[in-house]
Amino acid sequence: MQRLVYFLYHVRYEDTDDEDVKLIGIYSSHEQAELAIEQLKNKPGFIDYPDDFQITENVLNQDGWVDGFIDLPE
């Protein structure tokens, strides 16, 4: 049986060199993640970027990145 979890992120400047990603938490339901957004969206910093929250659904105990990676030259 697959168990789902919900990651809540706040992502500013997505897909730019200045991208700022914060992992807010991991929740047992989409509804719990939405409640966290409601509690945070009026806090300092978040209040200026209320539309930058993202919830992603993930399967518990399943690898999410399995292809390895390469280093890019700077």
Side-chain angles (χ1 to χ4, degrees):
M1 178 178 153
Q2 288 185 341
R3 169 95 188 207
L4 298 177
V5 292
Y6 299 83
F7 284 63
L8 173 58
Y9 295 94
H10 190 265
V11 183
R12 287 178 36 203
Y13 314 119
E14 188 170 15
D15 296 328
T16 71
D17 290 339
D18 295 327
E19 186 174 74
D20 179 24
V21 179
K22 294 173 187 68
L23 173 60
I24 305 300
I26 304 168
Y27 301 89
S28 60
S29 69
H30 196 274
E31 292 77 17
Q32 289 293 317
E34 289 175 339
L35 286 172
I37 292 172
E38 289 301 311
Q39 294 174 356
L40 291 171
K41 70 180 183 182
N42 292 318
K43 302 266 183 194
F46 297 120
I47 197 168
D48 298 323
Y49 303 93
D51 298 326
D52 291 347
F53 289 99
Q54 297 178 11
I55 300 172
T56 63
E57 181 180 281
N58 295 274
V59 177
L60 190 61
N61 297 323
Q62 178 176 312
D63 296 335
W65 193 289
V66 295
D67 293 331
F69 67 94
I70 60 170
D71 284 326
L72 298 175
E74 293 185 26

